[in-house]
Amino acid sequence: MKLPVLHNFNAIKGEVISLSIGYNNVVASESLFACVRKYSPDEEYKAKFDIDVSTDELENDEASKITLSPPYQMSS
């Protein structure tokens, strides 16, 4: 079994970003959770990403594509 992988990326404050991830399995968006934390060990998160799973326009061995959309802002 593979362990989760931490992906660190930077964005300019206020910049609208999205992230598409190819996945080798089909998964329901309701089964996924992605958030923004100031520091990785923090229990509280600053924002939660909207998640969409698609089986359209796949590449190589992808079974689905997961798209993380700009997060809904939480109170700071």
Side-chain angles (χ1 to χ4, degrees):
M1 180 173 120
K2 291 185 178 181
L3 295 175
V5 176
L6 173 65
H7 295 281
N8 291 315
F9 59 94
N10 295 311
I12 297 170
K13 185 175 183 177
E15 179 181 4
V16 177
I17 62 169
S18 64
L19 177 65
S20 292
I21 303 165
Y23 190 55
N24 64 355
N25 228 329
V26 177
V27 63
S29 59
E30 298 83 24
S31 300
L32 301 172
F33 179 81
C35 67
V36 175
R37 300 178 196 187
K38 186 168 185 174
Y39 302 105
S40 59
D42 288 352
E43 300 229 355
E44 289 186 35
Y45 57 88
K46 300 292 183 186
K48 178 183 169 197
F49 282 92
D50 290 328
I51 301 172
D52 180 55
V53 177
S54 173
T55 55
D56 299 329
E57 300 181 31
L58 302 175
E59 299 177 23
N60 302 323
D61 295 330
E62 295 174 343
S64 62
K65 192 167 297 262
I66 301 167
T67 303
L68 306 178
S69 299
Y72 167 74
Q73 290 296 324
M74 303 288 290
S75 59
S76 41

